Amino acid sequence: MGGAGGAIETMELTRMQTEETSDQAKIRELDAFIQSLGLDGRDAAGRRAVLIQILHRAQGLFGWLPEEVQKHISAKLDLHVSEVYGVVSFYHFFKTKPSGRHVIDFCTGTACFVRGIGKVIEQVEAQTGTKLGETSGDGRFTLGSLRCVGACSLAPVLQVDGKTYGRVTPEQVEAILAEYK
Amino acid sequence: MPLVNIIIDGVKTQVSSDSTILDAARKVNINIPTLCHLELHNKETVNRVASCRICVVEVEGRRNLAPACSTKVQNGMVIRTHSPRVIKSRRVLMQLLLSNHPKDCLNCYASGNCDLQTLSNDMHTDSNRFEGAHSDFMVETSSESIVRDLNKCIRCRRCETACNDMQTVGVLSGVGRGFDMVVGPAFHAPLEKTQCVFCGQCVKVCPTGALMGKSHVEEVWNAINDPEKVVVVQTAPAVRAALGEEFGMEPGKCVTGRMVTGLRRLGFNHVFDTNFAADLTIVEEATEFIHRLKHGGRLPMLTSCCPAWVKFFEHQFQDLLDVPSTCKSPHEMFGAITKTYWAEKMKIDPAKIVVVSIMPCLSKKYEASRKELSSSGHQDVDYVLSTRELGRMLREAGVDFQSLPDGEFDNPLGFSSGGADIFAVSGGVCEAALRMAAEVISGKELDSVDFEEVRGTKGLRHAHVEIAGMEVNVAIACGLGHARRLLEEVRAGKSHYHLIEIMACPGGCICGGGQPFVDSREEIEVMKKRAQAIYAEDAGKEIRSSHKNPYIQELYKEFLGEAYGEKAHKLLHTGYTSREKL
Amino acid sequence: MTKLATGVAFAEFADAVKAAEATAPKTRIFVGMSTCGVASGAGPVYDAIAAELAASGNPAIEVVRAGCVGLCYAEPTVEVQVPGRPVVTLGGVTPARGRELVKELAVAAEPAKPLSVGDAIFKKQLRIALRNCGRIDPEKIEDYIRNGGYVQLAKILDGMKPEEVIATVKASGLRGRGGAGFTTGLKWEYARAAAAAPKYIVCNADEGDPGAFMDRSVLEGDPHSVLEAMTVAGYAIGARYGYIYCRAEYPLAVKRLEVAIAQSRALGLLGENILGSGFAFDLEIKLGAGAFVCGEETALIHSIEGKRGEPTVKPPFPAESGLWGKSTTVNNVETLACIQPILEKGAAWFKAIGTPKCAGTKVFALAGDVKNVGLAEVPMGTTIREVLEEIGGGSRDGRPLKAVQTGGPSGGCIPAEKFDTPIEYDTLGALGSIMGSGGLIVMGQKTSMVKIAHYYMEFSCDESCGKCTPCRVGNRRLYEILERILAGKGKPEDLPKLEELGNVIKDTALCGLGQTSPNPVLSTLRWFRSEYEDCIKNGGVKPPVYTVNDKCIGCRACAKACPVQCIEGALKKKHVIDQSKCIHCGACETKCRFGAIDSE
């Protein structure tokens, strides 16, 4: 009995350790990127000018922008954390919550609106039991929206993990979701 | 600047070409209403975000209405400040602001001091015209000093400007966007968890009740009414120069005697003076300064009586924790002495003593809660009330303040020198320290104790003082933005000062975050009047140097022993902690 | 690539590029590989063609990853340029068709089955900004140079005065294509006159209007035209540094810009001492992060500075005080794309196109209920009808169109009866709309105008920066009133309230976007008031009524899809919908593959 529990605990511990090290590696990579920007001797305005660029990079590495990462960036740039957060919270591209394994983004451009993206969203929400902007309980899907992706001829459009699906009907939703476990 | 000719509401006038329409209108006594606009300290701090749009006016030939606060005049401009188009727009804008504002003025701490309320009364507009979503924030009460009710926030950003531009504390930023945009700390953290120093400048500039001082009136009433407790009150030097304003008196009138009587009427058992402890602070601090001078200690030495300033460097200059004096602030020293020396003398169990501080400050509330400030074996200070809260208590108790007879502080903790009075103004602590240091170092009495060179209202000042042939460089900063500049010099090893006095609030404690509210346009004038009142108090004192206060001398003789000695260290000095930047 | 140190070296390089083409002309197959092309499957088509070419070993045919020709409805598209013959466009190309095409071209001079409608669409068009899109490989600087690229820059650096460049641009009558239509030459003149250095030039590539994608097409299909124009602008106004502020949603555009910048630097067309002229200019890309408001120039500037993209009051205009308080000129992508042709063909040539007040062409992005979704570049003064019907091919269901929204969320809805209006900045303004960036969202008879207004207000609320009261709270209230009306809780007095509030927002909002944000509500109220009144009277938008038309083949698909089994009809017989049971869900219409369900 104790053995099984112990094994699970060990697995959990290993998982945490690997996560830890992978986070540290990401921080190191982020630091190397910041280093490459050559910020020495720059004034606050000069350091601020690369903030959004660094946030993009950090989100690319972590998938989102955890508080600790925002604090780290603020320390690196010697800007107040409130300022960094103010910027992060202003731009919709920056995510302050981790995403599920798969991210479904709906295009909310006008063409997609006119061509019925609303019904597709309803269908996906119903099938995943998740509201737009949230992550499903099992961590499988995060539902988000994108401003016009410019693929208006394919309207209505949704993207799963960056792959575009065009002329989507509510009936197709089940099959699309089934592609992503 | 060249002059331009303009016509406002039919009035022809000439104004400088760098004026805004708002400036020009004020010059001809036309009041254009404003909410977000803020100019402080001769425009050293300006909030010109032009976001509320209440000040819009009609400019002939312009397509849309112009915000008067941020539109420069041009030659030949014809401006109408209350045309039907303007009035209609302003009303709609006010209706919009009110549509997302709780209409519970009767419960609001800011009622009577609220720009939004005043303006809304003037317009007498339908506050329920637009229905819809409301902001829905929890009222944030994490700190001992400041309460944030963002449901009342009108997004004028004045607090943000005060926090970032004036104070460089950097806690507040615009957060989010659209209807949900609001001003707050990173990650919506409670203020308690941030690098907020509780200077209360944000509270002073907030045009509504979104930012308020936290009230401890109830706790103090309870203590007063508890027969088991001995409630001791102390009053900060700056309170007496402004309390009268709470009762409609002109700024610049010291009301020390009436304040003492008023406090007795409220039921405080003993009415003492923080000034007494200010003298004590000087003896300790000047001795520490002389010690550092003589023994190659860390210089410059920075004063440490402002808790907002102390918290500021604990967060933002963690590498400089050894620079400030280790002296506790006067009211904390007072608490420690009251619960030891005075308790022994009076044979009162210190556990039964409740020390209440009346302060011009909101940060003192937080300071009183700092766990390490309990060298007496009890929390040195129990409650802190701001000047505004005292005014409220007196009004609630029906005290007719203006007609009160003068009273006298109780002794031994009620007597003070002129050096203590000037703690209230920027430069005062430095001057009081110099009064003592000069005499101790030179061994001679000063001809004049007035160090005029360290006085003034400017945010950053410096002076050279000669003491016994030694050149002493002093600097004075009020406002944390100015303080930061001095600290960066220290950090860079470029500071040539020996002594630096820092007060978090522009003007010093007389304009603290707990003082009676003042129209921002009159701030500088009021600051000057309050300062004059303080200097008059000082000049009127027989004893003007702290170390000559006979009660202080008795305190050392009977109880503390040597200044800056072992017992003094235990009771009157403290240390600093490095704190997270957030 | 070697750096071209002088103007002469550049001329030799350009000549060599052209000579190579003249001696060995090639048949080129352009595969439209912009974002929507790739999303429609252009990648496998390209691969198939390339594989077939490799297998055939035919050196006279070349396949090119090109940008977008704008025929979005027909993606994936392929264009074939046989030397000496007009370009032929193919639509809906599959990998198999691609392989076939290579075989055909080996024996025939023209491919079979060209897109018939392509010609009609192109006839009305005049491609200036889009001149190279789809016709060059955007990742090859030689392709751009072969089409006359960088020749104008070289010429200018060879002795033209900045003032002369500005005079030419001014004389051309070019106006900003980003929205407000300010005269570009004048903007440059102000910037030139601004005192202190440094100065900056910024390309606004933050194309945020939903349904507008012309800037993306230029960036993806012809990035060098933007780089050359920015360098020219830098020379004209005295700026040594530029920024391209591009949406993060356009990764392909960013990649192609990066490639283009690297190539220009390598050839010495960017950097120190360009072509030995002593003039230095360089630029970098700044990524947006998902904020529509950053299309407003002061907000865009704050965003480049690394701040929240909140607009500030103008004046001061960026030309006077922009990036870090320095003089900054902000031009939009399409505007910049017109610079090279103006310099090449002269101000008079450009001025003669379009109308006296609005010279040149405008690119429109057609989307919505229109047959031919895509990009169209037409001379200013072309009527709305010509664009929608002749190029757009009219509505999908063949019925008359109802309205068109121009200018995105800042624009207004123009009703069909005004479709004969020639398109100009002022004429659209008079109709309560704006030119904006050129998005044309077409609405058919089924579209509820109240819903359209509601959609745009939702967008404006979502994208409001929240700084000023009228936009932050006012737009929210507009949106909520519309929501109540749609939910059947509207009151007659809501309509004057909408108008009053909308007009106050127009009159008092801080930035251009705020000031125009009520346009969709105000314009639909102006032209389609009865729809609002009906909505209030009927307790909401009337649900669509579905009927079966004669196209029905009786396949039973709709009957099976109907959740309430209200569709009757035998197999292979026309079906009937029982209106008393219908719940108006639209499942039948979605399911039907024959267009046999009408909705009203």
Side-chain angles (χ1 to χ4, degrees), chain C residues 14 26 33 49 54 62 79 90 108 112 170 275 314 319-320 331 385 401 409 416 436 455 459:
Chain C
K26 280 187 176 178
M33 294 191 66
I49 295 174
E62 184 183 66
E79 292 201 308
L90 306 175
K170 225 168 115 182
L275 302 182
K314 292 190 282 192
E320 193 188 323
N331 287 137
R385 189 180 307 284
L401 293 170
Y455 166 82
F459 180 91

Side-chain angles (χ1 to χ4, degrees), chain B residues 21-230:
Chain B
I21 293 176
L22 183 67
D23 295 333
R26 283 178 177 169
K27 209 182 138 230
V28 291
N29 300 314
I30 292 170
N31 265 324
I32 298 173
T34 60
L35 282 174
C36 66
H37 181 70
L38 177 74
E39 281 175 359
L40 283 174
H41 316 119
N42 297 326
K43 299 200 179 189
E44 200 176 284
T45 301
V46 180
N47 189 52
R48 193 172 283 159
V49 293
S51 65
C52 75
R53 315 305 282 182
I54 282 290
C55 71
V56 287
V57 295
E58 201 169 340
V59 175
E60 213 164 77
R62 185 178 154 129
R63 181 176 49 85
N64 56 353
L65 298 178
C69 70
S70 53
T71 307
K72 291 262 164 73
V73 290
Q74 279 170 8
N75 201 28
M77 228 180 211
V78 179
I79 300 151
R80 275 180 285 276
T81 73
H82 57 85
S83 66
R85 181 174 161 206
V86 169
I87 293 291
K88 188 180 89 177
S89 293
R90 256 184 222 154
R91 281 186 188 159
V92 168
L93 290 167
M94 179 52 85
Q95 288 159 356
L96 290 174
L97 284 172
L98 294 176
S99 74
N100 187 30
H101 190 87
K103 290 158 199 84
D104 64 344
C105 293
L106 289 177
N107 294 323
C108 183
Y109 199 80
S111 189
N113 280 309
C114 172
D115 294 356
L116 188 70
Q117 185 185 45
T118 308
L119 200 52
S120 156
N121 283 340
D122 290 350
M123 290 184 178
H124 194 68
T125 185
D126 177 4
S127 63
N128 294 316
R129 177 143 182 249
F130 294 105
E131 298 159 353
H134 275 261
S135 296
D136 186 17
F137 295 97
M138 293 274 284
V139 179
E140 204 264 286
T141 59
S142 67
S143 80
E144 286 300 315
S145 299
I146 294 174
V147 175
R148 293 163 70 234
D149 182 354
L150 294 181
N151 301 310
K152 294 175 181 166
C153 173
I154 58 165
R155 280 75 168 169
C156 69
R157 318 289 281 270
R158 282 159 64 153
C159 53
E160 198 184 333
T161 297
C163 188
N164 295 326
D165 295 3
M166 183 208 289
Q167 298 294 60
T168 68
V169 169
V171 167
L172 298 179
S173 163
V175 170
R177 75 178 196 212
F179 188 77
D180 300 322
M181 178 262 154
V182 77
V183 181
F187 318 125
H188 289 289
L191 274 190
E192 179 66 10
K193 300 267 183 249
T194 70
Q195 59 196 11
C196 174
V197 301
F198 307 116
C199 66
Q201 291 300 317
C202 57
V203 173
K204 279 176 73 178
V205 299
C206 179
T208 72
L211 294 167
M212 295 169 281
K214 189 184 247 183
S215 171
H216 292 90
V217 168
E218 211 46 46
E219 290 86 339
V220 171
W221 276 128
N222 289 341
I224 289 174
N225 293 324
D226 185 343
E228 291 294 301
K229 301 286 185 193
V230 177

Side-chain angles (χ1 to χ4, degrees), chain C residues 381-392:
Chain C
T382 305
T383 66
I384 300 171
R385 189 180 307 284
E386 287 171 299
V387 176
L388 300 189
E389 295 182 357
E390 294 182 35
I391 297 174

Side-chain angles (χ1 to χ4, degrees), chain C residues 108-348:
Chain C
E110 256 183 30
K113 293 183 267 179
L115 199 62
S116 57
V117 78
D119 266 2
I121 286 178
F122 286 126
K123 219 165 23 187
K124 275 276 164 192
Q125 296 201 44
L126 176 62
R127 298 198 155 214
I128 295 174
L130 299 178
R131 63 195 176 280
N132 288 327
C133 286
R135 303 284 159 83
I136 61 169
D137 182 339
E139 296 190 16
K140 279 193 188 148
I141 195 169
E142 293 85 352
D143 273 24
Y144 180 67
I145 291 174
R146 194 176 63 230
N147 285 282
Y150 288 112
V151 173
Q152 298 311 309
L153 176 66
K155 193 177 80 188
I156 284 167
L157 294 182
D158 193 33
M160 221 167 138
K161 285 195 190 121
E163 290 77 8
E164 291 173 301
V165 177
I166 292 173
T168 305
V169 174
K170 225 168 115 182
S172 76
L174 175 66
R175 294 168 68 173
R177 300 296 192 233
F182 194 78
T183 306
T184 306
L186 214 53
K187 214 177 207 180
W188 289 13
E189 197 170 76
Y190 289 152
R192 168 121 209 119
K199 296 177 191 177
Y200 298 100
I201 168 100
V202 172
C203 168
N204 184 349
D206 189 52
E207 184 172 58
D209 285 7
F213 47 91
M214 58 288 292
D215 291 350
R216 198 203 69 211
S217 279
V218 172
L219 297 172
E220 288 179 354
D222 192 17
H224 283 288
S225 70
V226 174
L227 303 193
E228 181 179 3
M230 285 181 77
T231 313
V232 168
Y235 178 77
I237 66 179
R240 294 187 41 149
Y241 210 79
Y243 293 93
I244 301 176
Y245 186 83
C246 186
R247 297 181 80 190
E249 289 88 342
Y250 286 176
L252 186 60
V254 171
K255 188 196 144 212
R256 294 206 171 139
L257 279 170
E258 279 167 353
V259 170
I261 290 171
Q263 291 171 345
S264 293
R265 281 194 191 133
L267 273 188
L269 295 166
L270 280 176
E272 294 297 322
N273 193 15
I274 297 174
L275 302 182
S277 65
F279 173 66
F281 185 80
D282 211 338
L283 46 77
E284 70 181 279
I285 304 167
K286 283 277 185 182
L287 273 195
F292 173 71
V293 67
C294 289
E296 198 279 342
E297 57 184 359
T298 60
L300 183 152
I301 284 168
H302 296 312
S303 188
I304 292 180
E305 290 172 338
K307 299 176 185 164
R308 294 163 57 82
E310 293 176 355
T312 40
V313 175
K314 292 190 282 192
F317 290 95
E320 193 188 323
S321 173
L323 271 172
W324 300 291
K326 307 294 180 195
S327 168
T328 302
T329 305
V330 184
N331 287 137
N332 133 295
V333 172
E334 191 186 333
T335 315
L336 290 169
C338 293
I339 295 295
Q340 188 263 350
I342 288 173
L343 295 171
E344 183 183 297
K345 298 179 180 162

Side-chain angles (χ1 to χ4, degrees), chain A residues 48 51 79-88, chain B residues 170 173, chain C residues 306-307:
Chain A
R48 188 174 289 122
L51 172 60
L79 298 172
H80 292 302
V81 190
S82 62
E83 180 175 354
V84 173
Y85 181 69
V87 168
V88 168
Chain B
S173 163
Chain C
K307 299 176 185 164

